[in-house]
Structure formats: structure tokens, C-alpha cells
């Protein structure tokens, strides 16, 4: 463990720790709330900053990342900030080229086609050299937040990153990546292990830089069935939690709460609840009561309003939030959407969502 794990001291004192308390299972006066993709294109000020800028150039500018992370907090009383970045910076750190193609999304110029292509990847990644710009963005943002709310760091999980690296971009079936799991199980594990190691160092580096919580995005869990998830996703999700915690201890860094968000993985909720994360994030396709029943009492749940509910009139958003809070209960719970905000959403409706969570949870806690 090299010098990059010595964290810059002198961060401002945290004024609102509701999100962290809920993540650790402590009592809160109101239910904390944040939104996936809260720094995003639904905000005109975001589009203005990003205009004419290459997406990954923006990711590599600590100053711009900091500005974009802070924008939603200037508008809404959110209980957490999440650093503006992208999960595909990890494949870039492994030496792959990814470009953002307008109208198409992230595209790999040379995806992995054959098992031999694994040899082109960097086998030893110095995360500070390759991803130091993310660490700088986190440190700068942590200072700029002035203790208003905690800052969340994140990474994509190994299977999700592997699927992008083989598909070369988004896909509705993930057939190329899944075919590797069936045709080349050994090579698949080799790639997943390599990714897990880099992700672990990357997450530890984020905490050293000032991240106060971490979220692992297994966004493509829904493309796997229970068996493949058990073989190719869950072991690495578990390994990352364990390795991050032991490296944080070793480096005398804070043991920050960790969140696992495996989209569409209801079939694995019980296992995810016991995979070493303090918080299990949920998409919108499961009933709160059912998620509670499956995950037990020892983890905090996060989620899971259908993002499209934000297209509803504001009063309706309030009703849906109230119902969601009644389903989950207001404690050991972090309100969020079941996926990210969409670019055409009305910021006022995002504000209505945040305020409804605070108002209804306070009301329920009082009575």
C-alpha cells in the first residue's frame, strides 16, 4: 500500500450526517434521500457546463467534476452528494479506449473479442497514475461541500464492466459477453479477478481522497440468471467488500458504509444482504415489504421509486413517496429512485420528490 492512501486532513466538519447514520442502521429524524444521476442532463446548468466538452475530458477535470457534483445540491436539500464520474474509467485504466458517441453512448474502439485479447489489458494498474483525476475531484469536492452533506464515491462492478468491455457499448441482450461465460468460463474469471483487484484499489483510493461512502453498481445483473450471478457476479461483489474493508483497516482509513446496487437481481436479494455491504440498493420492480422480508433486519435498504414517477404531477409524486415510506418504514432506509434520473425530467419534480421524502418521513416519525 503506497503513499496515496494517506488522506488529506483538514476536511470541513460534517453538518448533516443523516445519510451515514441511516447507512449504518442508526436512528434518523427524517429519511435521507439522494438520487442516482442527480448530477445530470435534466439540469440546464449541467448542460451549460458540458456544452461542447468531450464527456471523458469532463470526467478528467477535477474542477468540472466538482462543479457538476455540487449543482443539484444548490437546488435541492439532498442528504448526500455523489461524485460526478463514470463507471467506464476503470476499463480505460486497464488500457482500453472508450469514446462517447453522441446519440449512441459510450463506445469501445476495440472491444475484447477473443480470449487472447485479455493479454492487451494492463495486468498491473497503478490507480493513482491512471485514475488520480477522480481522487483529485473527490478531495476538491469534499472541501467545496463545506461539510453540507457526505460525499459518495463509486465504481462499476466486475460483471457490468466486463459486459461493456466485450459488447463494446450498450446492448439489450449482452449476448457477446454472456457467451464468454458459457464458452470461456476460465478466461471470464481471469478478467473478473483482474477487474475486482483494480476496483478494490480504486475504491480504497477514493476513501483516502475523501469519499465518505461507496456504491458498487452491478447495473447489468438483470442479464444474468441466478446460476450465472452466483458464479460470475456474487463472488466478486463479496470479494470487493471484504478486500476494501481490510485495506481500509490496514491503512488506518475510515471504514465507510458500502452500498451494493444490483439492478434486477431480486433472485439474489438474500445473498446480497449477506455479501458484506451495509446497504442494499433496489430497483423499482420489487415491493418494499417483500424486499424487507428477504433482506432481514441487519441491512439498510435504498431505493426504489420508479424514475418515471417523476413525470407525474407533484401531488401524485407526494402520494407515491408516502406509500413507499410506509412500505419500507422510515428507519434503516435511504430514499432514492430505482434507477437514475432521465435527461428530460423537470427539476421541479425532482425537488418535489426530495421534499416529500423529508416531510412524510418526519410526519411518520412523529406519529
Amino acid at each position: 500500500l503506497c503513499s496515496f492512501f494517506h488522506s488529506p486532513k483538514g476536511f470541513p466538519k460534517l453538518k448533516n450526517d443523516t445519510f451515514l447514520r441511516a447507512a449504518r442502521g442508526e436512528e434518523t429524524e427524517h429519511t435521507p434521500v439522494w438520487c442516482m444521476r442527480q448530477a445530470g442532463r435534466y439540469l440546464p446548468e449541467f448542460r451549460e457546463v458540458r456544452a461542447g466538452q468531450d464527456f471523458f475530458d469532463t470526467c478528467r477535470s477535477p474542477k468540472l467534476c466538482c462543479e457538476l457534483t455540487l449543482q443539484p445540491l444548490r437546488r435541492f436539500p439532498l442528504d448526500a452528494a455523489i461524485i460526478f464520474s463514470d463507471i467506464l474509467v476503470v476499463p480505460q485504466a486497464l488500457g482500453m479506449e472508450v469514446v462517447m458517441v453522441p446519440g449512441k453512448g459510450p463506445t469501445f474502439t476495440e472491444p475484447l473479442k477473443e480470449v487472447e485479447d485479455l493479454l492487451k489489458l494492463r495486468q498491473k494498474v497503478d490507480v493513482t497514475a491512471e485514475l488520480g483525476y477522480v481522487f483529485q475531484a473527490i478531495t476538491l469536492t469534499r472541501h467545496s461541500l463545506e461539510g453540507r452533506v457526505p460525499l459518495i464515491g463509486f465504481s462499476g462492478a466486475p460483471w457490468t464492466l466486463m459486459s461493456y468491455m466485450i459488447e463494446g457499448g450498450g446492448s439489450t441482450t449482452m449476448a457477446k459477453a454472456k457467451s464468454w461465460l458459457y464458452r470461456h468460463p476460465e478466461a471470464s474469471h481471469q478478467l473478473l479477478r483482474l477487474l475486482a483487484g483494480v476496483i478494490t484499489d480504486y475504491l480504497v483510493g477514493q476513501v483516502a481522497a475523501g469519499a465518505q461512502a461507496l456504491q458498487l453498481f452491478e447495473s447489468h445483473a438483470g442479464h444474468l440468471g441466478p446460476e450465472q450471478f452466483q458464479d460470475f457476479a456474487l463472488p466478486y461483489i463479496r470479494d470487493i467488500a471484504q478486500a476494501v474493508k481490510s485495506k481500509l483497516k490496514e491503512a488506518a482509513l475510515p471504514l465507510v458504509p458500502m452500498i451494493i446496487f444490483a439492478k434486477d437481481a431480486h433472485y439474489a436479494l438474500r445473498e446480497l444482504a449477506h455479501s458484506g455491504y451495509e446497504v442494499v440498493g433496489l430497483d423499482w420492480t420489487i415491493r418494499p415489504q417483500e424486499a424487507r422480508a428477504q433482506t432481514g433486519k441487519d441491512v439498510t435498504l435504498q431505493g426504489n421509486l420508479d424514475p418515471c414517477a417523476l413525470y407525474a404531477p407533484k401531488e401524485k409524486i407526494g402520494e407515491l413517496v408516502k406509500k413507499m415510506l410506509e412500505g419500507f418504514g422510515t428507519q434503516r432506509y435511504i430514499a432514492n429512485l430505482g434507477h437514475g434520473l432521465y435527461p428530460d425530467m423537470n427539476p421541479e419534480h425532482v425537488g418535489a420528490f426530495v421534499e416529500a421524502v423529508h416531510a412524510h418521513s418526519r410526519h411518520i416519525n412523529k406519529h
Side-chain angles (χ1 to χ4, degrees):
L1 285 172
C2 50
S3 59
F4 83 86
F5 290 141
H6 298 303
S7 68
K9 294 289 181 284
F11 285 130
K13 191 173 164 4
L14 186 58
K15 299 173 192 141
N16 170 4
D17 66 348
T18 314
F19 163 79
L20 294 178
R21 288 211 314 274
R24 291 192 293 255
E26 297 164 17
E27 206 171 315
T28 60
E29 279 118 70
H30 67 264
T31 297
V33 55
W34 67 280
C35 299
M36 290 185 269
R37 297 208 188 124
Q38 65 190 24
R41 288 174 295 174
Y42 73 101
L43 291 175
E45 58 269 38
F46 177 96
R47 292 196 297 270
E48 218 166 287
V49 168
R50 288 268 303 104
Q53 270 276 355
D54 172 73
F55 177 79
F56 286 108
D57 283 349
T58 305
C59 289
R60 284 187 279 270
S61 159
K63 224 173 102 199
L64 290 178
C65 289
C66 174
E67 167 58 24
L68 295 171
T69 303
L70 294 176
Q71 283 177 349
L73 292 153
R74 295 189 188 118
R75 280 189 184 245
F76 316 117
L78 294 152
D79 293 288
I82 184 164
I83 194 67
F84 176 81
S85 186
D86 194 86
I87 63 171
L88 298 181
V89 299
V90 170
Q92 287 175 336
L94 286 165
M96 294 187 81
E97 192 186 359
V98 191
V99 292
M100 196 55 85
V101 178
K104 186 182 169 203
T107 306
F108 285 72
T109 48
E110 288 181 50
L112 305 173
K113 287 195 172 71
E114 304 303 329
V115 169
E116 297 75 61
D117 293 341
L118 294 181
L119 298 171
K120 297 179 189 165
L121 299 174
R122 279 191 191 107
Q123 301 303 308
K124 277 265 172 277
V125 175
D126 174 344
V127 290
T128 308
E130 300 300 329
L131 297 166
Y133 59 87
V134 179
F135 303 156
Q136 289 167 14
I138 286 172
T139 303
L140 178 62
T141 306
R142 177 84 189 267
H143 283 293
S144 307
L145 275 167
E146 295 173 333
R148 198 173 344 166
V149 294
L151 178 61
I152 305 168
F154 71 90
S155 173
W159 154 249
T160 294
L161 295 179
M162 170 183 170
S163 62
Y164 272 115
M165 290 159 77
I166 294 171
E167 295 291 339
S171 154
T172 50
T173 59
M174 294 293 156
K176 288 180 193 154
K178 285 181 71 178
S179 84
W180 271 53
L181 305 181
Y182 287 107
R183 286 165 42 228
H184 314 302
E186 276 317 299
S188 296
H189 280 299
Q190 193 189 328
L191 174 55
L192 292 161
R193 266 197 305 275
L194 175 64
L195 283 162
V198 177
I199 291 163
T200 296
D201 288 344
Y202 180 43
L203 290 173
V204 173
Q206 291 186 44
V207 176
Q212 290 153 291
L214 298 168
Q215 177 154 314
L216 191 67
F217 283 89
E218 189 69 281
S219 313
H220 295 166
H223 290 280
L224 302 177
E227 308 250 308
Q228 284 191 313
F229 188 82
Q230 206 74 34
D231 288 348
F232 296 101
L234 191 61
Y236 300 99
I237 287 170
R238 282 196 189 117
D239 289 353
I240 288 166
Q242 207 181 336
V244 166
K245 290 183 156 108
S246 87
K247 287 193 172 191
L248 289 174
K249 270 200 192 104
E250 237 173 274
L253 286 165
L255 281 178
V256 303
M258 295 177 73
I259 307 165
I260 175 66
F261 176 61
K263 188 172 178 298
D264 296 322
H266 313 149
Y267 53 76
L269 268 189
R270 279 178 215 281
E271 289 92 339
L272 288 166
H274 296 101
S275 62
Y277 294 75
E278 286 69 29
V279 183
V280 175
L282 303 163
D283 60 65
W284 69 93
T285 60
I286 188 160
R287 289 190 175 84
Q289 296 85 336
E290 186 151 326
R292 277 278 183 221
Q294 288 198 42
T295 52
K297 301 248 182 313
D298 298 328
V299 294
T300 292
L301 295 180
Q302 173 177 283
N304 74 340
L305 191 73
D306 179 357
C308 292
L310 298 190
Y311 295 123
K314 289 186 200 171
E315 313 69 70
K316 178 73 178 159
I317 294 171
E319 285 164 35
L320 292 166
V321 165
K322 181 169 179 279
K323 195 171 166 214
M324 179 171 82
L325 285 162
E326 286 164 354
F328 282 109
T330 57
Q331 301 299 323
R332 259 205 180 279
Y333 174 52
I334 296 161
N336 205 314
L337 304 172
H339 199 246
L341 287 160
Y342 302 144
D344 63 348
M345 284 178 167
N346 180 342
E348 284 182 21
H349 288 223
V350 178
F353 166 65
V354 173
E355 273 152 32
V357 170
H358 287 160
H360 288 298
S361 62
R362 282 201 176 99
H363 183 80
I364 293 169
N365 285 343
K366 272 202 193 98
H367 300 84

